[in-house]
Amino acid sequence: MSDTVTKTLQATLATPTAGKEQRLQRLLDTYRDALHDAFDARADTMSAVNDIVTPYDLPYQAKDALKSYVPKLRKTYNAHELDDEHPLRLVNRAAKFDHSDEREYGFVWQAPQPGRGTNFWIPLRINPEQESLCFDLLNDDAKAGELRLQRHRTSWELHVTVEFSVDSSTEPDDPTYIGFDVGESALITGCALKRDVPRKPMLESGSRARHLRKEMYTTLKRLQERDAAEWRVDKRFNHYQNALTDIVEKVSRRAVEYADSFEDPVIVLEDLSYIRERLDYGKFMNRRLHAWAFARLQGRIKDKATEDGIPVEYVNAAYTSQTCHACGRLGRRNQQAEFKCTNDDCHVTEFHADINAAANIAGRVDPWGESVPWEPERNDSPRNGSASDSATVHRETSEKSSQMTLAAYSD
């Protein structure tokens, strides 16, 4: 048995000649015109989109991508309008690559063009860490999905969705469940649960991500108010997005490494479907919370865990931050990071709120398999990142000898 893992191969096109750059730009502009026409016509089926895009001078790989993408814009993405910076989408039949050690740039991509005999090869600058993924594509050990070509001010970038198989992970006989709570104050909190007892929690601060999002919001707003050049706005936006992506990658790796430090680990995540629709804390907090890609971080944990052979389970997210992990009684959160159990008979008095939530998540897995497995209703990752600091959690003596206090973690 095997599982399928999805990654994105990112490459930068080597500086094209003037003629090739003009052909790429013409292709991108024509694609965007066809996309807007199909969207404005409210085409909601592949057949309706096909009727609109057929006359456009586009390669079939771009037309097929439009036929699949446009109907999703309103049905899946609930789009009301489109911006002018959509990348060129191409179906996987445009994933034609070649490699030779004799070239300055070993990997090249055949850029599709409309008409027969018009395609041309263009060199790619590949991240050295992703070279093995490129060779997997060439050797048919991985399968290409959608391609996206985007122009920035000084460069062209190609993103290729790549799927490959890894051996399926099987749940051990005596697993250690590790719950992960993704949030705003603490970016991610992990807690291992062994025989219903929380063990060695981990916390990753969300301060760096919050600072970046706040800075991005204010900087872009000021640039737009000053009517700054579009390339300058794009450059700053890309800077912040790259920094946030870096946080996602590093924190998700540390989360999987934390889980792997336990014997027979099983990672447990919340079902975050429609999390944006459920959040309503006012305009200011909504902007902050909705800007953070909760499901994106979870997705990267899932991908990395699958590659490392660690099983991943999903549980219902309801009330994980409001109930006591020890007795299940509803408690109080007088402060953001502090949970208080209201059950006098429970050995827990005060506990770190995010660790309590992570322990609840870990404890919701049904080891006897009686629960219906959760399947995501949709991908809630954003469509359109630098290390985070961690903190040590200390135990303190409770006023009641039979109870336990875990000091609140402060970000």
Side-chain angles (χ1 to χ4, degrees):
M1 294 290 290
S2 61
D3 293 326
T4 300
V5 177
T6 301
K7 281 191 173 183
T8 299
L9 174 65
Q10 298 176 315
T12 301
L13 274 59
T15 304
T17 63
K20 288 183 177 180
E21 183 155 30
Q22 288 177 359
R23 293 163 72 185
L24 288 173
Q25 186 62 55
R26 183 164 57 246
L27 179 63
L28 179 60
D29 292 341
T30 305
Y31 173 88
R32 288 172 174 169
D33 288 342
L35 171 63
H36 280 273
D37 278 358
F39 180 81
D40 293 341
R42 307 188 72 84
D44 57 2
T45 64
M46 295 183 69
S47 176
V49 176
N50 182 65
D51 292 340
I52 295 171
V53 303
T54 293
Y56 281 88
D57 194 22
L58 289 169
Y60 71 89
Q61 298 96 328
K63 291 181 179 179
D64 286 350
L66 283 168
K67 287 187 285 187
S68 173
Y69 178 58
V70 173
K72 297 177 183 176
L73 285 170
R74 286 193 172 88
K75 293 180 180 179
T76 304
Y77 301 147
N78 194 29
H80 299 288
E81 60 182 26
L82 299 182
D83 62 37
D84 297 323
E85 298 302 317
H86 272 258
L88 167 67
R89 283 178 165 81
L90 301 162
V91 295
N92 61 358
R93 283 169 289 174
K96 295 183 179 180
F97 301 94
D98 188 41
H99 177 268
S100 173
D101 290 329
E102 298 179 0
R103 290 191 288 257
E104 179 182 1
Y105 300 101
F107 290 94
V108 293
W109 171 56
Q110 189 179 75
Q113 292 286 298
R116 286 183 175 272
T118 56
N119 297 351
F120 58 85
W121 293 95
I122 190 163
L124 299 175
R125 294 189 179 98
I126 302 292
N127 183 339
E129 296 181 357
Q130 293 192 315
E131 279 193 357
S132 61
L133 198 57
C134 294
F135 282 114
D136 287 343
L137 277 176
L138 290 175
N139 299 330
D140 294 327
D141 293 328
K143 181 182 178 181
E146 184 183 68
L147 290 78
R148 297 185 186 185
L149 180 66
Q150 179 69 291
R151 181 173 188 175
H152 300 293
R153 178 173 173 261
T154 58
S155 64
W156 291 82
E157 285 189 3
L158 179 68
H159 292 186
V160 185
T161 301
V162 181
E163 294 182 350
F164 56 96
S165 298
V166 297
D167 292 336
S168 295
S169 53
T170 56
E171 191 164 320
D173 294 332
D174 185 23
T176 302
Y177 294 111
I178 297 112
F180 285 106
D181 179 60
V182 180
E184 169 73 3
S185 178
L187 182 57
I188 188 168
T189 305
C191 185
L193 206 63
K194 193 71 172 179
R195 298 179 181 85
D196 297 328
V197 178
R199 308 285 179 90
K200 301 178 182 178
M202 68 160 282
L203 297 101
E204 292 286 344
S205 170
S207 59
R208 172 66 175 160
R210 286 202 310 275
H211 172 76
L212 282 170
R213 294 197 307 277
K214 181 179 179 182
E215 187 178 288
M216 177 175 68
Y217 176 80
T218 54
T219 300
L220 296 181
K221 185 177 180 182
R222 288 170 183 167
L223 286 172
Q224 290 168 345
E225 288 174 348
R226 296 171 185 170
D227 292 326
E230 186 175 330
W231 68 265
R232 190 178 298 277
V233 176
D234 289 344
K235 184 176 181 180
R236 295 308 298 169
F237 177 80
N238 290 335
H239 164 75
Y240 290 116
Q241 289 299 302
N242 290 338
L244 288 168
T245 297
D246 186 55
I247 290 178
V248 169
E249 292 302 313
K250 290 180 177 178
V251 171
S252 58
R253 170 49 58 193
R254 282 198 287 272
V256 174
E257 290 173 350
Y258 164 75
D260 203 27
S261 68
F262 294 92
E263 186 175 355
D264 297 327
V266 175
I267 289 176
V268 189
L269 302 173
E270 291 180 298
D271 171 359
L272 293 182
S273 297
Y274 301 102
I275 185 171
R276 289 192 179 92
E277 287 80 350
R278 294 200 303 265
L279 292 171
D280 186 13
Y281 299 113
K283 182 177 180 180
F284 175 71
M285 279 302 294
N286 277 347
R287 172 171 61 81
R288 292 175 62 190
L289 289 167
H290 294 186
W292 180 248
F294 291 98
R296 184 182 181 191
L297 178 55
Q298 278 200 348
R300 295 306 292 144
I301 292 174
K302 172 68 164 61
D303 290 342
K304 289 178 170 65
T306 302
E307 287 187 68
D308 289 356
I310 300 176
V312 178
E313 300 282 352
Y314 291 89
V315 297
N316 193 318
Y319 301 106
T320 52
S321 63
Q322 301 174 43
T323 56
C324 176
H325 70 274
C327 69
R329 180 79 64 86
L330 281 173
R332 297 194 306 269
R333 292 186 65 169
N334 297 331
Q335 299 179 16
Q336 174 64 27
E338 180 183 284
F339 173 84
K340 290 188 176 181
C341 182
T342 57
N343 182 4
D344 293 336
D345 296 327
C346 181
H347 68 277
V348 172
T349 54
E350 179 184 312
F351 215 79
H352 184 287
D354 294 321
I355 296 176
N356 178 71
N360 273 324
I361 293 168
R364 287 194 176 182
V365 175
D366 183 354
W368 303 106
E370 297 173 359
S371 301
V372 176
W374 173 81
E375 293 292 341
E377 296 180 52
R378 67 166 184 167
N379 177 7
D380 193 45
S381 56
R383 293 175 296 276
N384 352 42
S386 142
S388 299
D389 54 324
S390 58
T392 303
V393 180
H394 303 280
R395 293 187 183 274
E396 297 178 355
T397 305
S398 170
E399 295 179 1
K400 297 182 180 181
S401 59
S402 64
Q403 297 185 337
M404 177 181 70
T405 298
L406 188 64
Y409 159 78
S410 56
D411 185 13

